[in-house]
Amino acid sequence: MKVLIVEDDPLHRSYLHEAVCAALPECDTVIEAENGIAGEQLARDHKSAHIVMDLQMQTRNGIEAARTIWKERPETRILFWSNYSDEAYVRGVSRIVPDGAAYGYVLKSASDERLKLALRSIFVESQCVIDREVRGLQQRSIGHANSFTDSEYEILVDIALGLTDRTIAKRRNLSLRSVQNRLQQLYDKLDVYQAVAEEQSDGQFNLRARAVTVAFLRKLLNYSALEKAESELQEWLQEQK
C-alpha cells in the first residue's frame, strides 16, 4: 500500500507520516508533497496511492487538488485533514466527491486514535468517515428550509467580496439577467433589502456589500471562509489580466 501526504506544514507532515505508519502496518511507501500542485503530480506518478490531504495550502488548496485527482482517477481514496469545519470547506468537498468514492473529513483537533481509525476505515475498509461536527453542518445545511444551493452560495460569496452584477456574471459564466434574478431570490432568503443600486460603470466592485455583507456573514461565513474566498478571487482577477 502507498499513501501520499499532501500538507504544507512540515511538522504536520511529520505527524501524519508517523500516524500513517502506526495505523497502517501494511503501508510500505509514504510519499510527501508540500503543496497541492506537487500532490497532483505525485498522485499521477503513484496511481495506486491513497491520499491524506490538507485543505488550506498556499500553493493550490486541497479542494482544487482533489478535484483534479478525482477527475483523473475517481476511485482514489482521500482523507481530508483540516483545521476548518466552515460551510465553505464542507460545501467545497461535497461538490467534488465522485459517486461511490470512499473519503473522509477529519479535523486536526481530533484525537490520535480518531485519526488512525479514519485512516484504516477509509484506506483499508473503503468506508466514509466524517467528523461529527462536520456531519452536523452538512445535515443542517441540507435540512434547513432556507439553505442555499452551491450556485447560490457562490454568488453570495461574490456579493460579500463586493463584486458588481456584471463581474459576477463574467466570473460565473452567467447572463447579467440570470445573476440579477438569482440575487433577488437570495435577498428574499436572507431577508435583507438591497439599498444600493447596481452601478452603471464597468467597475468590478461596488458599495452594495455594505448593505448585505453583515446579514450574509452572520448566516454563512466566518473570517477564515471569507479569507479563503478573497484569495480565490485574487487568483481569478490575475487570470483576467
Side-chain angles (χ1 to χ4, degrees), residues 97-122:
V97 178
D99 291 340
Y103 81 103
Y105 194 131
V106 174
L107 297 176
K108 291 184 178 180
S109 57
S111 67
D112 295 350
E113 290 306 313
R114 174 62 174 167
L115 175 59
K116 292 175 182 177
L117 177 61
L119 288 166
R120 290 206 63 80
S121 297
I122 299 164

Side-chain angles (χ1 to χ4, degrees), residues 165 175-185 187 198:
D165 295 354
S175 68
L176 180 60
R177 176 65 64 183
S178 294
V179 169
Q180 291 172 337
N181 288 340
R182 292 186 188 186
L183 286 174
Q184 187 56 57
Q185 295 171 355
Y187 292 138
E198 171 66 20

Side-chain angles (χ1 to χ4, degrees), residues 55 63-64 67 70 80 84-97 103 105 130 134-135 137-157 186 189 216 219-221 225 228 232:
L55 283 177
I63 291 175
E64 292 302 319
R67 188 201 307 273
W70 267 330
F80 295 99
Y84 305 104
S85 59
D86 304 338
E87 185 166 355
Y89 289 96
V90 174
R91 280 177 176 268
V93 171
S94 298
R95 280 201 304 266
I96 64 173
V97 178
Y103 81 103
Y105 194 131
I130 311 296
V134 176
R135 186 175 295 280
L137 179 57
Q138 288 178 327
Q139 292 172 345
R140 288 195 300 274
S141 178
I142 293 172
H144 197 280
N146 286 333
S147 63
F148 301 102
T149 66
D150 289 338
S151 59
E152 287 175 333
Y153 186 82
E154 289 175 345
I155 289 178
L156 282 172
V157 169
L186 293 172
K189 281 188 176 183
F216 170 45
K219 290 177 179 285
L220 290 179
L221 290 179
K228 173 179 178 290
E232 292 175 347

Side-chain angles (χ1 to χ4, degrees), residues 6-238:
V6 186
E7 165 64 66
D8 60 354
D9 186 306
L11 292 177
H12 285 171
R13 281 203 308 274
S14 177
Y15 169 76
L16 285 174
H17 193 130
E18 292 179 4
V20 166
C21 292
L24 303 168
E26 53 269 78
C27 176
D28 54 19
T29 304
V30 178
I31 312 133
E32 297 183 8
E34 62 184 11
N35 57 58
I37 292 177
E40 291 175 14
Q41 185 57 56
L42 286 171
R44 294 187 189 100
D45 296 341
H46 302 271
K47 295 182 179 180
S48 63
H50 305 315
I51 299 173
V52 184
M53 180 86 72
D54 186 19
L55 283 177
Q56 179 89 4
M57 292 182 285
Q58 293 297 321
T59 306
R60 195 182 301 281
N61 64 48
I63 291 175
E64 292 302 319
R67 188 201 307 273
T68 298
I69 291 167
W70 267 330
K71 183 177 181 180
E72 297 176 1
R73 199 166 68 91
E75 69 276 14
T76 303
R77 300 175 190 176
I78 300 179
L79 169 58
F80 295 99
W81 191 59
S82 175
N83 280 319
Y84 305 104
S85 59
D86 304 338
E87 185 166 355
Y89 289 96
V90 174
R91 280 177 176 268
V93 171
S94 298
R95 280 201 304 266
I96 64 173
V97 178
D99 291 340
Y103 81 103
Y105 194 131
V106 174
L107 297 176
K108 291 184 178 180
S109 57
S111 67
D112 295 350
E113 290 306 313
R114 174 62 174 167
L115 175 59
K116 292 175 182 177
L117 177 61
L119 288 166
R120 290 206 63 80
S121 297
I122 299 164
F123 297 160
V124 177
E125 301 172 9
S126 300
Q127 297 178 356
C128 290
V129 177
I130 311 296
D131 261 1
R132 181 178 301 175
E133 183 178 345
V134 176
R135 186 175 295 280
L137 179 57
Q138 288 178 327
Q139 292 172 345
R140 288 195 300 274
S141 178
I142 293 172
H144 197 280
N146 286 333
S147 63
F148 301 102
T149 66
D150 289 338
S151 59
E152 287 175 333
Y153 186 82
E154 289 175 345
I155 289 178
L156 282 172
V157 169
D158 290 342
I159 295 172
L161 295 174
L163 300 187
T164 64
D165 295 354
R166 289 181 176 82
T167 305
I168 294 173
K170 181 178 180 181
R171 187 182 187 197
R172 302 302 178 186
N173 296 315
L174 297 169
S175 68
L176 180 60
R177 176 65 64 183
S178 294
V179 169
Q180 291 172 337
N181 288 340
R182 292 186 188 186
L183 286 174
Q184 187 56 57
Q185 295 171 355
L186 293 172
Y187 292 138
D188 292 339
K189 281 188 176 183
L190 286 168
D191 194 27
V192 296
Y193 174 68
Q194 183 181 358
V196 183
E198 171 66 20
E199 293 177 350
Q200 298 302 314
S201 70
D202 293 329
Q204 293 179 321
F205 298 90
N206 68 12
L207 299 179
R208 177 183 56 207
R210 294 184 182 179
V212 177
T213 300
V214 171
F216 170 45
L217 293 181
R218 286 176 180 171
K219 290 177 179 285
L220 290 179
L221 290 179
N222 62 25
Y223 177 78
S224 61
L226 189 59
E227 187 179 46
K228 173 179 178 290
E230 173 68 25
S231 175
E232 292 175 347
L233 172 62
Q234 294 304 319
E235 292 179 3
W236 179 79
L237 291 173
Q238 288 296 321

